[in-house]
Amino acid sequence: MKSRNSVRPATEVPIGTLAEAAGVNVETIRYYQRRGLVDEPNKPLGGHRRYSPSAIKRVVFIKRAQQLGFTLEEVKALLRLEDGQSCGETRVLAEHKLAIIEERLADLNRMRRLLKTLISECSAGKRPRSCPIIATLSAGV
Amino acid sequence: MKSRNSVRPATEVPIGTLAEAAGVNVETIRYYQRRGLVDEPNKPLGGHRRYSPSAIKRVVFIKRAQQLGFTLEEVKALLRLEDGQSCGETRVLAEHKLAIIEERLADLNRMRRLLKTLISECSAGKRPRSCPIIATLSAGV
DNA sequence: ATAAGTTCCGTACCCTGGTACGGAATCAAG
DNA sequence: CTTGATTCCGTACCAGGGTACGGAACTTAT
């Protein structure tokens, strides 16, 4: 017999390959496992674990969600909705995140306008002293 | 004599009051002092330090800037704009900060656009079977 | 004047999101 | 079957941004 006790489809890869495919490093995968975001397949008694393509998807999902500003805890919540059946709940999470991001955008835009003003006044030599940046950004205190 | 050796305007408050007014806790103020973001007023020989309203503004500013994604080191640089004497120096600093802010804005805008798209697809119920947010997060792997 | 509440100061510890290390076991190729 | 690369697993460490602790000194209210 050729195959002693298991046929391993090429799609089932070891952790290094998973990490590479997902664009993170091995330690990060393990870290996600410790955090409960990725699960450890049970390993073939004394052997090395193998991961299915869905694990790759999962890790990529995590990275993408992070880029959208979700923390790992939040990503965990999103992953629980991964079956795609709880669209409503998912949407609430997304809307909440969106609101936070929009607030930050507003603040940041204010800051940007202020800096631009400061810079142009500086160039014009109008203001030898300091700028009202703090006064403006800490307004309403 | 009533006032032994100093008149203390009510606006000059002790650290606990400062912390409360700024919405952070005392330890955080001290931490900022260690990091050089807030300075320690010299204390009346053996007594307790008192802080002026500008200290409150400063702390509030720090918190806001942080929410916008600036690290404490960056906030420190921003604060030097306010303290700044030399206009030329200030301008360079301001231009640098402006660049950082614009990057951050770009990031946040990207997140916002994506989230908005996803949310609206969700609402439109275009994909009845699977949630578009989840689908996008796992797509194309 | 005395008790209760703050402040001061140093040091130690916490969480988040990872990265690094190192020895033993296991796998894959020649 | 030997060699070199991976995996496993635990533990330690990193940066950033704080929080907690504890005793002594000081302030404030009664």
Side-chain angles (χ1 to χ4, degrees):
Chain A
M1 275 181 192
K2 203 74 196 291
S3 59
R4 229 197 273 321
N5 59 21
S6 67
V7 175
R8 284 201 286 246
T11 55
E12 298 274 304
V13 301
I15 198 170
T17 310
L18 164 61
E20 198 181 356
V24 301
N25 64 42
V26 172
E27 301 304 328
T28 302
I29 304 283
R30 292 197 197 290
Y31 176 67
Y32 290 164
Q33 290 175 334
R34 289 198 297 282
R35 292 285 303 252
L37 283 103
V38 167
D39 49 39
E40 302 196 307
N42 32 3
K43 61 175 178 182
L45 282 105
H48 294 167
R49 290 175 229 283
R50 306 224 129 214
Y51 299 81
S52 66
S54 71
I56 299 175
K57 283 195 181 186
R58 204 167 170 96
V59 176
V60 170
F61 180 104
I62 295 168
K63 296 318 280 184
R64 289 204 186 148
Q66 272 188 309
Q67 283 168 8
L68 291 177
F70 292 97
T71 64
L72 290 186
E73 270 316 296
E74 288 166 340
V75 174
K76 211 164 156 183
L78 283 171
L79 284 167
R80 278 195 284 270
L81 307 174
E82 206 196 359
D83 56 14
Q85 298 309 295
S86 321
C87 204
E89 253 183 273
T90 306
R91 198 177 138 198
V92 168
L93 292 178
E95 279 170 346
H96 186 216
K97 191 50 72 176
L98 178 61
I100 290 171
I101 287 173
E102 293 194 325
E103 249 178 61
R104 289 181 189 172
L105 275 167
D107 272 3
L108 213 43
N109 271 317
R110 274 204 300 146
M111 201 150 173
R112 176 167 157 275
R113 273 197 301 280
L114 233 76
L115 273 174
K116 284 198 132 173
T117 306
L118 171 66
I119 290 167
S120 69
E121 282 180 7
C122 247
S123 307
K126 279 185 185 169
R127 290 162 18 72
R129 277 279 141 210
S130 66
C131 71
I133 186 169
I134 292 180
T136 308
L137 278 172
S138 50
V141 181
Chain B
M1 274 176 195
K2 202 76 195 285
S3 59
R4 224 197 278 324
N5 60 20
S6 67
V7 174
R8 285 201 286 245
T11 55
E12 298 275 306
V13 301
I15 197 170
T17 311
L18 164 60
E20 196 181 356
V24 302
N25 64 43
V26 172
E27 301 305 327
T28 302
I29 304 284
R30 292 197 198 292
Y31 176 67
Y32 291 165
Q33 290 175 335
R34 289 199 296 281
R35 294 283 304 250
L37 284 104
V38 167
D39 49 39
E40 303 196 306
N42 32 3
K43 61 176 179 183
L45 281 104
H48 295 167
R49 292 176 227 282
R50 306 224 133 214
Y51 299 82
S52 67
S54 71
I56 298 175
K57 287 195 177 187
R58 204 168 168 99
V59 175
V60 170
F61 176 86
I62 294 168
K63 296 316 285 181
R64 290 229 180 132
Q66 268 191 310
Q67 284 169 1
L68 299 180
F70 292 99
T71 65
L72 290 186
E73 272 315 296
E74 287 166 341
V75 175
K76 206 166 158 183
L78 285 170
L79 286 166
R80 277 197 286 271
L81 290 178
E82 177 78 359
D83 304 339
Q85 292 79 8
S86 124
C87 203
E89 202 191 320
T90 300
R91 196 180 140 199
V92 169
L93 203 48
E95 279 167 351
H96 186 219
K97 287 300 131 189
L98 181 59
I100 292 175
I101 286 172
E102 295 193 326
E103 257 175 55
R104 189 82 195 127
L105 272 167
D107 278 359
L108 286 174
N109 270 316
R110 206 168 17 72
M111 294 180 197
R112 177 169 157 275
R113 268 196 306 279
L114 232 164
L115 280 172
K116 278 202 126 170
T117 306
L118 294 177
I119 290 167
S120 71
E121 279 182 21
C122 239
S123 310
K126 279 184 186 167
R127 292 187 245 176
R129 279 282 144 239
S130 65
C131 176
I133 295 177
I134 298 296
T136 302
L137 288 173
S138 11
V141 183

